[in-house]
Amino acid sequence: MRKLLIALLLFSFGSIYAGGYRVALQGQRMLGMAHAGISVFNNAETTFFNPAGMAFLEGKLNVSFGVSGIMSHVKFQNPEYNWMHETDNPLGTPFYLYATYKATDNINVGLAVYTPFGSSTVWHKWAGSDIVNDISMKVFYIQPSLAYKFSDMFSVSASLIMAYGGVLYNKDVNRYLTGDNGEKTNVQLDSGISGATGYAISLAFKPADNLSFGLNYRSSVTLDAQNGTATFNNVPAFLSNDLKNTNFSAELPMPAELGLGMSFKPMDKLLVAIDYNYTYWSIYKELRIEFDNDLPPSVADKKYKNTNTFRFGAEYQLNDKMFVRAGYYYDQSPVPEGHFSPETPSLDTNNFTFGFGYQMDKWSFDFSLLYLKGKERTDYTFVTGEGPVAHKFGGTYVNNAIIPGIGISYSIK
Amino acid sequence: MKKILNILVGLLFVSSFIACQPEFSNPINDQTYTSGEADFSNYVAVGNSLTAGYTNGTLYKSAQENSFPSILATQMKLAGGGDFTQPYLEDDTNDVGGMVFGSNVILEPKLIINASQGGPERINKTPTMDVTNIHAGPYNNMGVPGAKIFHLVASGYGNVANLATQQANPYFVRMASAPDNSIIEDVVAKNPTFFTLWIGNNDVLWYATSGGTGVDQNDTGNLDPSTYGPDDITNVNVFGAVYQQLVDALTANGAKGVVATIPDVASVPYFTTVPYNPIPLSDQSQVDALNAAYTQYNGGLQLAVQNNLITQDEADARTISFDLGANALVIEDEYLTDLSALGLPSIRQATADDLVVLPAMSVIGVAPDPNNPQMVYGVTIPLEDKWILSKDEIVTVRTATAGFNQVIQAVAASKNLPVADMAALMEEMKNGLVEEDGSFYTANYFDGSNLDNLVFGLDGVHPTPRGYAIIANKFIDVIEEAYGAKLPKVVPANYPTFDILPSN
């Protein structure tokens, strides 16, 4: 099991800087149509979007695997100080793996492994280095589900969520402290991997062949890192007894998400899907790092707000093998004014998606492309750690991301 | 399968095409920063140690790099500013400052905190800069540590031959373009398009740091500065005449600039760090013993009152008494009525109106004779005048400073030059200055809790590079307002303060 976890973590998760550290890339077919899949029950991706939808899948066994490549850029400027910086983020490669199996006529079981949360932000030698130099957060969920079909129109599902993940986080201790080598004194925080559990429940309702509804609720999960390691680098000699390497604990909350979806077929070859997501970001009140030694805790106020996401997508069948897809969604930032921090520079974003599907007998291939454009935002956050008062750090942020993805599905009738 | 491959390649192609950088609606560009009506192409800074970048008791290489004119010039480069040269310090190989003359150390190296001892002390390294290692200017930074206003127009101030008679300045010796050129001649030769002029601090500061041992030349009416002692206060008429001469020379070719006021020297940590009452007594027998030691003196004062030699008020002010708790220092005070005929010294206890100079820290509480531990400086041995700026001396200092600042304001007004009120800024820095971003800075460095926020160096008089960054920001404010320029600010917290070493 441990080897598997480590293997999964080799994927870099990337950030899209939209809804907090949520990375909504959980199915190339659905992503082509704005990631609106709560009421679309046509392949194994439903194991994530709405496990109750498994009951309406045609195959005995359905498997989907996909991976995306996140290329994201964030730019920052503040003319008050002539600050101009941009992130140098590595390519993010979040993935998913889904499988469903029809155990009986009424019972379907499913397994989903996916990466709903993550971030990967690298700033180089920049003005906000006392907040973040780089951060990499990796969280994946393993979610077995059981769906029960009450009738040809209605099914329910319950899932267990096993979440694993952790954070690597580097920041300077403050704005001026340097080691005797002249380099900034920084601390590397490695939370290690912790696990926690949650659940999901969902409903699928298909009153007619050309009309479906879905509801999906995923609970919050809080990863409790108890044995993280804090490593101080470039410590000046006179502080060598104070800034000693130590252990720390911190809580990393993954918010709950409620989704409602509707899809319909206004004509035989056209599928239209609309999703609404409500994400309970208010769980992220602060990032508190408690050190095991005498160092004072590091506390960053977050005060995130719950967010709404609206998704509109469509799929058109060109012929018996080919599908084209397009979609748009608007993603709200959970970050309130005065708490906008460069380690998760999450902007309100407009998102445009495109997709192409190629279907053969048992195999199908899906390609997606997401273009994300953040709305420019001028905001700040308060930084503690220097004397009795906090200071402001802020400026104007803008971002974009381009995210191609490929998915492979397999189905046995 | 080939089709799928084609699609994949196409997708990546499209991705790389769209994956351009995001852009700001109003990005920082060539037009963001401007010089307005000013011309920064040849900025020259004129002044003393505060302009040179002097801090922690000396001028050293990394401190010079963070002098306020150097910070300012860096920002000006974004708005048409040219190269900014500073006096040669490449021979400060250990970055410790100080100076030697051959094998003699003539200026001590920088002050540091020795963490194993606690207090500030000189770093245990020998200076490498030699006063005879001349690299003739003129430079853009014409700040000369130690210069009084009249030194700026003095010929021979840069002549090594005059060092022996203290008529030359070792810093100016190294940088003068010719040995007998005056500072202002070198400044004019540099032909500035823009200048800062911040001069006059030393004309009153040295009187204050000496505990008021010099002469106030306003009392004597002496207008010949060549006869002044180093700790004298410059006559305000001398100050006014030279100030006018300097500003005339600087503006002769139409250059614009900023002049700065002189801070109230009594606001720097040199005078505000050591309290007037640092003697804690917790033992009643100690209190009784000390009071007994002064019974004779106190009795003598009453005798003097009865003989109408002093008033009852003076006797009360001079009466020495100790209690449990914090007690005031016993000090000498030349302003008291001389009762030496009665065998009574001119001593009293300090009050909150007196300022104790920073170096007194090393004396107070010390028993100079190990065989006589009862005789302790500040308690049973009165502190000498040089350790105390008494309330009368403070009045002298403040009167002189106000006079100089009136000159500065008046000359600036007549030339339509903006004034950077450094007097107000340094007062704020002492009391706790809050920057626009909420950062808090203070001079209060010996309470030990706020290493993060310090702006004054260990000499108690000069700002640290962090303080000079605050000063540079203030100049930027004034330049922007007066000339319609736009320059970026710096973040003081990014600048260093002083060295803390585990041992020395």
Side-chain angles (χ1 to χ4, degrees):
Chain A
M1 184 67 184
R2 184 163 174 80
K3 270 186 185 164
L4 174 68
L5 293 183
I6 290 167
L8 290 175
L9 286 170
L10 289 178
F11 286 86
S12 60
F13 286 23
S15 319
I16 55 177
Y17 310 116
Y21 38 88
R22 173 84 172 93
V23 179
L25 300 169
Q26 272 77 48
Q28 308 306 357
R29 181 176 288 195
M30 306 302 184
L31 185 58
M33 41 195 288
H35 211 255
I38 295 172
S39 63
V40 180
F41 318 127
N42 61 10
N43 82 345
E45 292 176 15
T46 197
T47 325
F48 163 78
F49 286 91
N50 183 347
M54 293 190 297
F56 295 101
L57 294 181
E58 287 172 4
K60 179 89 172 163
L61 175 72
N62 294 282
V63 179
S64 284
F65 170 79
V67 60
S68 296
I70 301 177
M71 291 169 272
S72 72
H73 298 98
V74 184
K75 270 189 172 176
F76 168 80
Q77 72 168 26
N78 185 334
E80 176 75 8
Y81 301 103
N82 193 33
W83 286 338
M84 290 180 278
H85 301 284
E86 59 187 71
T87 55
D88 182 15
N89 298 330
L91 177 76
T93 52
F95 70 94
Y96 58 82
L97 175 65
Y98 306 127
T100 75
Y101 180 72
K102 194 179 281 291
T104 73
D105 276 354
N106 292 333
I107 295 176
N108 283 263
V109 293
L111 180 69
V113 181
Y114 57 100
T115 56
F117 296 98
S119 84
S120 180
T121 308
V122 178
W123 299 91
H124 273 306
K125 303 239 175 215
W126 80 302
S129 61
D130 58 330
I131 305 171
V132 58
N133 285 312
D134 55 76
I135 187 165
S136 160
M137 174 180 173
K138 299 176 176 184
V139 177
F140 61 88
Y141 282 14
I142 299 172
Q143 179 182 343
S145 303
L146 182 72
Y148 183 79
K149 191 169 165 184
F150 284 97
S151 72
D152 285 347
M153 288 200 291
F154 184 63
S155 65
V156 299
S157 158
S159 312
L160 174 69
I161 291 172
M162 292 173 287
Y164 299 91
V167 170
L168 276 173
Y169 178 22
N170 184 289
K171 67 193 264 304
D172 289 349
V173 169
N174 61 32
R175 289 182 290 182
Y176 62 86
L177 197 65
T178 57
D180 300 323
N181 56 4
E183 298 287 320
K184 288 276 188 75
T185 308
N186 64 65
V187 58
Q188 175 81 21
L189 300 164
D190 182 351
S191 73
I193 301 171
S194 4
T197 56
Y199 64 92
I201 51 172
S202 55
L203 308 174
F205 180 50
K206 200 172 169 64
D209 269 356
N210 58 0
L211 182 64
S212 305
F213 297 94
L215 177 152
N216 186 55
Y217 176 80
R218 249 187 326 279
S219 75
S220 67
V221 176
T222 297
L223 295 173
D224 190 1
Q226 284 294 343
N227 249 317
T229 55
T231 310
F232 290 90
N233 303 305
N234 306 324
V235 176
F238 79 96
L239 286 177
S240 58
N241 286 325
D242 301 287
L243 298 181
K244 271 189 177 151
N245 296 347
T246 183
N247 288 341
F248 72 90
S249 60
E251 286 191 350
L252 307 166
M254 308 299 138
E257 189 175 302
L258 174 68
L260 299 170
M262 180 184 82
S263 65
F264 57 99
K265 285 189 152 178
M267 50 198 267
D268 191 34
K269 292 185 169 178
L270 182 66
L271 172 71
V272 176
I274 301 169
D275 271 16
Y276 165 72
N277 304 118
Y278 187 72
T279 310
Y280 295 83
W281 274 113
S282 60
I283 192 173
Y284 194 31
K285 294 184 172 63
E286 62 177 19
L287 177 59
R288 170 179 280 269
I289 299 167
E290 301 266 6
F291 296 99
D292 285 2
N293 61 11
D294 297 337
L295 290 172
S298 156
V299 184
D301 241 3
K302 296 298 180 187
K303 294 195 169 61
Y304 273 25
K305 298 175 303 187
N306 296 341
T307 59
N308 303 293
T309 310
F310 299 94
R311 302 174 187 275
F312 308 93
E315 175 185 76
Y316 185 77
Q317 184 167 9
L318 293 172
N319 53 41
D320 61 344
K321 284 185 172 172
M322 293 198 274
F323 299 80
V324 289
R325 308 183 181 104
Y328 165 81
Y329 66 93
Y330 183 76
D331 214 354
Q332 258 186 348
S333 165
V335 184
E337 189 184 343
H339 295 83
F340 198 86
S341 177
E343 101 261 355
T344 312
S346 175
L347 302 169
D348 292 340
T349 54
N350 283 301
N351 300 263
F352 304 91
T353 72
F354 308 93
F356 179 80
Y358 189 83
Q359 199 163 321
M360 290 177 293
D361 184 26
K362 290 175 181 167
W363 295 90
S364 63
F365 298 88
D366 294 290
F367 306 93
S368 69
L369 183 68
L370 165 61
Y371 177 66
L372 171 157
K373 192 169 184 331
K375 279 168 70 178
E376 183 174 298
R377 176 165 170 172
T378 301
D379 207 340
Y380 61 92
T381 187
F382 278 99
V383 191
T384 56
E386 275 174 35
V389 277
H391 67 268
K392 267 188 195 176
F393 176 83
T396 304
Y397 297 83
V398 66
N399 75 341
N400 68 10
I402 185 87
I403 305 165
I406 180 169
I408 301 168
S409 299
Y410 179 76
S411 178
I412 303 175
K413 289 269 170 0
Chain B
M1 204 63 203
K2 197 171 174 210
K3 229 181 225 169
I4 290 165
L5 209 63
N6 282 342
I7 291 169
L8 202 60
V9 169
L11 204 62
L12 285 172
F13 178 76
V14 173
S15 302
S16 58
F17 184 71
I18 312 177
C20 51
Q21 292 281 317
E23 289 302 332
F24 292 104
S25 56
N26 193 8
I28 295 174
N29 59 26
D30 293 351
Q31 273 79 53
T32 305
Y33 305 109
T34 62
S35 62
E37 299 158 33
D39 174 358
F40 300 144
S41 60
N42 189 17
Y43 162 47
V44 175
V46 185
N48 49 35
S49 53
L50 295 166
T51 293
Y54 190 103
T55 187
N56 297 317
T58 188
L59 179 65
Y60 48 101
K61 193 161 173 291
S62 63
Q64 185 195 49
E65 285 160 12
N66 292 317
S67 67
F68 91 78
S70 172
I71 296 171
L72 202 52
T74 303
Q75 307 306 87
M76 286 175 172
K77 275 192 181 151
L78 297 162
D83 282 344
F84 188 81
T85 57
Q86 302 206 77
Y88 182 85
L89 285 189
E90 292 303 315
D91 50 346
D92 184 18
T93 44
N94 297 321
D95 197 28
V96 298
M99 208 177 288
V100 293
F101 191 171
S103 57
N104 295 327
V105 174
I106 56 168
L107 295 170
E108 294 287 328
K110 69 184 175 186
L111 291 158
I112 52 103
I113 295 267
N114 177 350
S116 67
Q117 301 290 322
E121 53 188 70
R122 297 283 173 180
I123 193 168
N124 189 18
K125 284 188 178 164
T126 308
T128 54
M129 289 192 287
D130 195 300
V131 66
T132 59
N133 190 8
I134 292 167
H135 287 256
Y139 296 93
N140 289 88
N141 189 338
M142 290 299 292
V144 178
K148 296 191 179 192
I149 188 161
F150 50 83
H151 291 139
L152 269 58
V153 294
S155 177
Y157 194 55
N159 192 330
V160 70
N162 295 335
L163 278 175
T165 55
Q166 298 193 336
Q167 297 299 308
N169 179 307
Y171 290 103
F172 191 53
V173 165
R174 284 167 52 97
M175 64 189 271
S177 62
D180 288 324
N181 263 22
S182 69
I183 294 174
I184 193 67
E185 281 170 333
D186 270 8
V187 169
V188 168
K190 192 72 184 161
N191 197 18
T193 60
F194 193 86
F195 65 88
T196 53
L197 174 64
W198 191 11
I199 190 69
N201 307 60
N202 294 329
D203 296 84
V204 60
L205 173 74
W206 291 7
Y207 172 87
T209 53
S210 72
T213 55
V215 175
D216 180 1
Q217 300 290 3
N218 291 297
D219 289 344
T220 62
N222 180 353
L223 298 180
D224 179 6
S226 68
T227 62
Y228 291 180
D231 296 336
D232 293 356
I233 292 178
T234 305
N235 185 289
V236 70
N237 293 320
V238 171
F239 188 95
V242 178
Y243 205 83
Q244 186 71 54
Q245 188 186 343
L246 294 173
V247 172
D248 285 346
L250 285 165
T251 56
N253 67 354
K256 293 180 160 54
V258 182
V259 300
T261 56
I262 301 166
D264 173 12
V265 295
S267 73
V268 298
Y270 192 86
F271 299 103
T272 57
T273 300
V274 181
Y276 76 97
N277 60 347
I279 303 161
L281 291 177
S282 55
D283 181 348
Q284 188 60 46
S285 65
Q286 268 185 319
V287 171
D288 294 342
L290 286 171
N291 283 330
Y294 285 103
T295 309
Q296 197 182 352
Y297 173 74
N298 290 342
L301 292 174
Q302 294 309 320
L303 204 63
V305 173
Q306 285 159 26
N307 289 296
N308 291 322
L309 295 173
I310 56 172
T311 62
Q312 185 62 47
D313 281 352
E314 179 169 347
D316 291 346
R318 293 177 68 159
T319 300
I320 290 168
S321 83
F322 291 89
D323 289 306
L324 288 175
N327 286 272
L329 293 164
V330 179
I331 62 170
E332 292 180 0
D333 184 354
E334 64 192 304
Y335 286 80
L336 297 174
T337 307
D338 184 355
L339 298 175
S340 55
L342 298 181
L344 297 178
S346 291
I347 62 170
R348 62 181 173 88
Q349 274 178 297
T351 72
D353 294 331
D354 300 306
L355 297 175
V356 187
V357 301
L358 189 57
M361 280 181 88
S362 60
V363 177
I364 293 168
V366 171
D369 180 357
N371 296 321
N372 196 351
Q374 304 304 315
M375 296 307 286
V376 170
Y377 280 123
V379 187
T380 42
I381 308 173
L383 281 185
E384 299 158 78
D385 185 34
K386 65 178 179 180
W387 303 119
I388 306 290
L389 197 61
S390 70
K391 57 178 189 274
D392 300 294
E393 291 163 344
I394 294 167
V395 170
T396 302
V397 163
R398 293 212 159 117
T399 305
T401 306
F404 296 161
N405 282 335
Q406 276 167 20
V407 167
I408 292 168
Q409 296 279 2
V411 173
S414 73
K415 292 281 184 179
N416 210 13
L417 290 170
V419 179
D421 193 352
M422 291 304 158
L425 183 72
M426 302 264 272
E427 186 71 23
E428 272 185 74
M429 279 160 75
K430 184 192 78 171
N431 296 330
L433 175 144
V434 181
E435 280 275 286
E436 280 167 49
D437 69 357
S439 298
F440 177 78
Y441 299 101
T442 172
N444 200 9
Y445 52 65
F446 282 99
D447 84 354
S449 67
N450 51 0
L451 203 59
D452 301 304
N453 313 108
L454 297 178
V455 290
F456 275 97
L458 297 174
D459 57 33
V461 173
H462 295 91
T464 56
R466 189 169 301 163
Y468 285 126
I470 293 173
I471 285 164
N473 280 344
K474 175 74 179 179
F475 274 106
I476 287 172
D477 275 339
V478 173
I479 291 168
E480 287 183 341
E481 193 184 329
Y483 297 117
K486 176 70 189 156
L487 293 171
K489 297 279 183 63
V490 296
V491 178
N494 291 341
Y495 290 81
T497 53
F498 41 75
D499 297 350
I500 305 174
L501 304 178
S503 61
N504 188 24

